[in-house]
Amino acid sequence: MTMMRIAVTGGIAAGKSTVVNHLRSLGAFVIDYDVLARKVVEPGSVVLQQIVSIFGENAVKNDGSLNREFIAKHVFGDSDESCENRKKLESLIHPAIYDCAKTLESEYVNKISEENHSVLGSMSSVIVHDIPLLAQVIDSIPFSFDHIITVEAPKDVRIARMISERKMSQNQAQQRINNQVEEIERKKIADFVVDSTKPMEVMLKSVDSKIKTWMGKEH
């Protein structure tokens, strides 16, 4: 059975979740890498134990959960040490996330095959990998994507959204954006760029028609 694997990425607060939720509501199967990133560091997980062995006991709070503030201090920043720490952390977390994604995908494909619905040409034959930092991991991720969508909005629009919707300070918002790869890198790997400054209905219609086109070409 032919499944179509699509990756959706985008800058922080650019509207990626809106597009992903829309695809989910149409029947696509979504694998959310933010959810997996939290799952692989749950209390008692192997990855969390490995993080402690590198960053020390302070990497975990009293309740056994990951001390995100402590980790953020050590991995976000411009120093060589922060950069090195970030690489160490990613080398633990990323493979664990990919393993989870593979498992979720194969379970879904098996389930669909067993149910034997006429899913071909319907949205349930679309698997969406929701990956905020795809441009950073595109060379090492063990998946090949039929299509890549990036959701974009100008920096000032995204900063304003982070301040109003996520209650960040101007400075925090700016820092988050600076920590992400540039829009240019995302656009380089994408074969469809969604402009989230357009009215919601227009934006989602453009996504729908693009996916219909892709499905038409495949089947």
Side-chain angles (χ1 to χ4, degrees), residues 83-113:
C83 189
E84 205 49 52
N85 284 338
R86 193 157 61 242
K87 280 183 188 152
K88 279 181 197 164
L89 189 66
E90 287 171 354
S91 72
L92 298 175
I93 292 177
H94 290 177
I97 292 174
Y98 303 150
D99 284 347
C100 282
K102 279 180 192 162
T103 304
L104 286 173
E105 198 176 82
S106 62
E107 281 170 0
Y108 178 71
V109 172
N110 291 340
K111 182 175 141 239
I112 288 280
S113 308

Side-chain angles (χ1 to χ4, degrees), residues 5 9-10 25 28 55 65 71 83-85 89 96 101 107-108 126-127 135 149 168 203-204 206 212:
R5 189 191 282 138
T9 191
S25 73
F55 292 94
S65 65
I71 292 292
C83 189
E84 205 49 52
N85 284 338
L89 189 66
E107 281 170 0
Y108 178 71
V126 176
I127 296 177
I149 296 172
M168 288 186 183
M203 171 178 98
L204 296 177
S206 74
K212 278 200 186 96

Side-chain angles (χ1 to χ4, degrees), residues 171-196:
N171 197 18
Q172 284 171 319
Q174 190 69 53
Q175 213 176 2
R176 279 297 171 87
I177 281 187
N178 292 346
N179 266 321
Q180 288 199 335
V181 290
E182 284 302 316
E183 191 179 320
I184 299 161
E185 295 302 315
R186 289 191 296 271
K187 285 183 171 173
K188 242 188 242 171
I189 61 169
D191 48 2
F192 183 52
V193 178
V194 177
D195 175 2
S196 78

Side-chain angles (χ1 to χ4, degrees), residues 41 43 48 51-52 55-75 89:
V41 295
L48 190 58
I51 290 172
V52 170
F55 292 94
E57 294 299 327
N58 289 338
V60 173
K61 292 189 196 161
N62 292 339
D63 63 0
S65 65
L66 180 67
N67 185 340
R68 293 181 182 278
E69 280 177 28
F70 173 82
I71 292 292
K73 273 185 201 146
H74 288 77
V75 301
L89 189 66

Side-chain angles (χ1 to χ4, degrees), residues 161-175:
R161 283 178 187 166
M162 280 192 269
I163 293 168
S164 69
E165 293 164 20
R166 305 188 189 195
K167 306 289 176 262
M168 288 186 183
S169 67
Q170 175 86 28
N171 197 18
Q172 284 171 319
Q174 190 69 53
Q175 213 176 2

